[in-house]
Amino acid sequence: ENNVQTAKHYGNLGRLYQSMQRYEEAEEMHLKAIEIKERLLGKDDYEVALSVGHLASLYNYDMEKFAEAEKLYLRSIAIGKKLFGEGYSGLEYDYRGLLKLYRTTNNLAMADHYHDILHQWNTIRDINNAAEVKPLEFSISIDFEDTVKECFS
């Protein structure tokens, strides 16, 4: 119970139960995973954000707990942006979850808002992916024969 790996197992069990339509058991496992991770890693850790996002998904897609799901998605987004910035790849999952939530609850203004945010996120991602990645710069100060002599003599 005091181990991050145990928390990850609880989260995996939550996702398994969710896939088996055993939603209350899934919820219990996700809540355990979050509690352990928060206690060991702090409330704003990447691992916490992952588990919070998984619970939000359960609430949104399977349990129709939309108010709870919204709070959790927003928390996961806040952690992801704080740790990794606006272009963080994990934000897409939460943005898409919110978009589905707002469409389902007929909150079209917020659905439009998150549609725009998702579009902006895609633009940032495309810019980041297109940026030239420069190779590491280094120079060799010793030639091969000298290296062999130095290592094997």
Side-chain angles (χ1 to χ4, degrees):
E1 296 293 313
N2 287 315
N3 184 303
V4 174
Q5 197 60 41
T6 301
K8 289 180 180 184
H9 292 312
Y10 279 129
N12 289 336
L13 283 170
R15 291 165 70 195
L16 175 64
Y17 284 138
Q18 184 175 356
S19 73
M20 297 168 65
Q21 299 180 350
R22 293 166 60 178
Y23 303 130
E24 286 75 23
E25 292 163 292
E27 179 182 32
E28 182 182 344
M29 294 298 107
H30 287 306
L31 289 169
K32 279 187 176 188
I34 292 167
E35 186 277 322
I36 293 169
K37 289 178 178 181
E38 284 180 340
R39 185 166 25 89
L40 297 177
L41 303 171
K43 291 189 178 288
D44 291 336
D45 188 82
Y46 163 75
E47 283 290 334
V48 173
L50 286 177
S51 292
V52 165
H54 290 139
L55 182 58
S57 175
L58 173 68
Y59 286 165
N60 186 24
Y61 288 89
D62 298 309
M63 297 181 80
E64 297 183 351
K65 294 184 175 184
F66 299 118
E68 293 93 332
E70 179 184 33
K71 290 176 191 170
L72 293 169
Y73 280 131
L74 292 172
R75 180 175 175 210
S76 181
I77 289 167
I79 294 169
K81 288 167 93 174
K82 177 181 176 184
L83 295 176
F84 304 112
E86 299 283 333
Y88 169 52
S89 62
L91 295 173
E92 180 179 19
Y93 178 82
D94 296 328
Y95 288 150
R96 290 192 184 280
L98 280 173
L99 191 54
K100 187 261 185 207
L101 182 151
Y102 292 130
R103 286 178 176 160
T104 301
T105 59
N106 208 30
N107 187 340
L108 301 181
M110 289 303 288
D112 286 345
H113 177 69
Y114 274 92
H115 178 269
D116 292 344
I117 287 176
L118 185 58
H119 179 74
Q120 291 168 3
W121 174 86
N122 274 307
T123 302
I124 293 168
R125 183 199 58 193
D126 291 347
I127 290 168
N128 289 343
N129 287 343
E132 181 182 344
V133 179
K134 295 182 181 180
L136 296 175
E137 291 185 22
F138 65 93
S139 62
I140 299 174
S141 60
I142 187 170
D143 68 12
F144 179 73
E145 290 176 1
D146 291 339
T147 303
V148 170
K149 288 178 187 175
E150 191 172 310
C151 293
F152 300 105
S153 298

